Amino acid sequence: MARIPSSLALEDLEEILPHLVDEGLPDGGEFLVANLGEGERTASLIALMVWHGFLPMSGASRRRVGMLLGKMHLQRCVLEPSKTHVGKKVKKRAKAFRLSVNEAWSEVVDNIQRHTWTSAPGDCWLSDKMAQAYKDVESLGSKWLRGGIRFLSIELWNCQNGDLVAGEIGYTCGSTYSSCTGFSIKDKYPGAGCVQLAALGAWLAKQGFQIWDLGMELDYKLELGGQVVPRVEWAAMVRKLRHQETALPTPEGDEANAFSLLRILLPEQAAVPGELSEHLVAEGTGAEESKKTKKQKSKASRPSDDPMHPSAPTFAFS
């Protein structure tokens, strides 16, 4: 992992990061590392990472505890929100739930810490210190807080008893929304995680988000409609969309019902998720070659109706 020294000025890092994105990290890996818990500097580092397409997270293993990590995936799983796949079981279950944005940050963080881990209970990378660093970003000045960067909690509630059944922490930058990590109460509410993801995709589409960044490739993300793109293509998307500041408010009234949200997607629902729209893929990124691979994948059978929203973290270390 390449370390960002505490002595390095943020202005100098601003000049360095685009080169690391384009050329790759010095060790050929995916992580930058810096100290976590340095107040405003940490929050500024997080905003810088987001602006340049890195996923800011922290370490879960003993040797990485207390570190801020910036992950630049060699391949990123992304989805146009309007192309989110909605399965039959998701549609059937959706009426029982309500979606909200930023209503219960602390509860979502607590549930992620209790229900989501890397290899064993208790080693969740979303520590209290990391969650607070995310929150500190909103207090930054305009110098580093660009493109409407904001960290948010997403919640799915049971309409009958008010239970919080699924949720995630994510962030906005321009017209891109990125999912960091999430949870679902699978034993008591099977399929709730799938409903949360589908409803969120619909709400992102309604608000005008162009890309949903799902991070590393996992089966349930592909079943949701995700497409895998190389780092260079992801970087081009970030640079194109980060100036299109887009807000993600909480849905109000009847619109918050998950089934009502899914109606946004259903008229355009396709049997198999399609490729990324041409206007989102910049020329000269190798997109033409990657499309061949995507077409081969898209010929597979229809995605299952109830993809698993795993209790494992969205991002796991190798």
Side-chain angles (χ1 to χ4, degrees), residues 60-238:
S61 65
R62 288 183 179 180
R63 63 192 179 93
R64 291 170 175 168
V65 169
M67 294 181 177
L68 171 64
L69 304 178
K71 186 172 185 180
M72 177 53 65
H73 301 72
L74 298 179
Q75 292 187 312
R76 202 88 161 207
C77 188
V78 301
L79 169 63
E80 288 181 64
S82 63
K83 296 181 180 180
T84 301
H85 174 71
V86 180
K88 292 180 180 178
K89 290 184 179 180
V90 169
K91 286 184 282 186
K92 183 177 180 180
R93 292 167 171 155
K95 290 182 180 179
F97 302 106
R98 173 180 70 87
L99 188 79
S100 66
V101 177
N102 237 25
E103 283 190 8
W105 172 278
S106 296
E107 289 180 65
V108 171
V109 169
D110 178 66
N111 274 281
I112 291 171
Q113 291 172 341
R114 289 190 292 113
H115 297 288
T116 302
W117 57 83
T118 303
S119 56
D123 68 352
C124 177
W125 65 257
L126 185 64
S127 63
D128 289 341
K129 187 178 290 187
M130 188 71 237
Q132 185 58 52
Y134 284 162
K135 291 291 287 182
D136 290 344
V137 170
E138 64 188 45
S139 63
L140 292 174
S142 59
K143 182 176 182 179
W144 303 121
L145 198 60
R146 298 164 288 183
I149 294 173
R150 188 184 182 194
F151 283 83
L152 303 162
S153 61
I154 307 297
E155 304 93 13
L156 190 76
W157 308 87
N158 180 284
C159 294
Q160 186 172 4
N161 59 23
D163 283 355
L164 178 61
V165 302
E168 67 176 60
I169 298 296
Y171 57 88
T172 60
C173 180
S175 58
T176 298
Y177 171 82
S178 297
S179 293
C180 293
T181 187
F183 79 96
S184 65
I185 310 299
K186 294 192 291 185
D187 293 340
K188 189 174 181 180
Y189 298 99
C194 301
V195 175
Q196 182 249 303
L197 290 170
L200 174 58
W203 189 235
L204 291 172
K206 178 71 177 294
Q207 299 307 309
F209 283 86
Q210 299 296 304
I211 283 292
W212 184 359
D213 166 28
L214 298 168
M216 68 184 292
E217 177 185 357
L218 290 172
D219 287 344
Y220 81 90
K221 299 176 184 180
L222 298 178
E223 292 176 334
L224 192 65
Q227 303 286 309
V228 178
V229 299
R231 184 188 70 226
V232 64
E233 195 171 326
W234 162 248
M237 290 179 189
V238 169

Side-chain angles (χ1 to χ4, degrees), residues 20-68:
L20 295 180
V21 172
D22 292 337
E23 301 165 16
L25 302 188
D27 61 354
E30 295 182 316
F31 290 98
L32 292 176
V33 59
N35 292 331
L36 180 63
E38 294 186 348
E40 184 177 345
R41 177 178 172 83
T42 295
S44 300
L45 280 174
I46 290 172
L48 264 172
M49 289 175 177
V50 168
W51 182 251
H52 291 285
F54 289 81
L55 172 83
M57 58 188 299
S58 63
S61 65
R62 288 183 179 180
R63 63 192 179 93
R64 291 170 175 168
V65 169
M67 294 181 177
L68 171 64

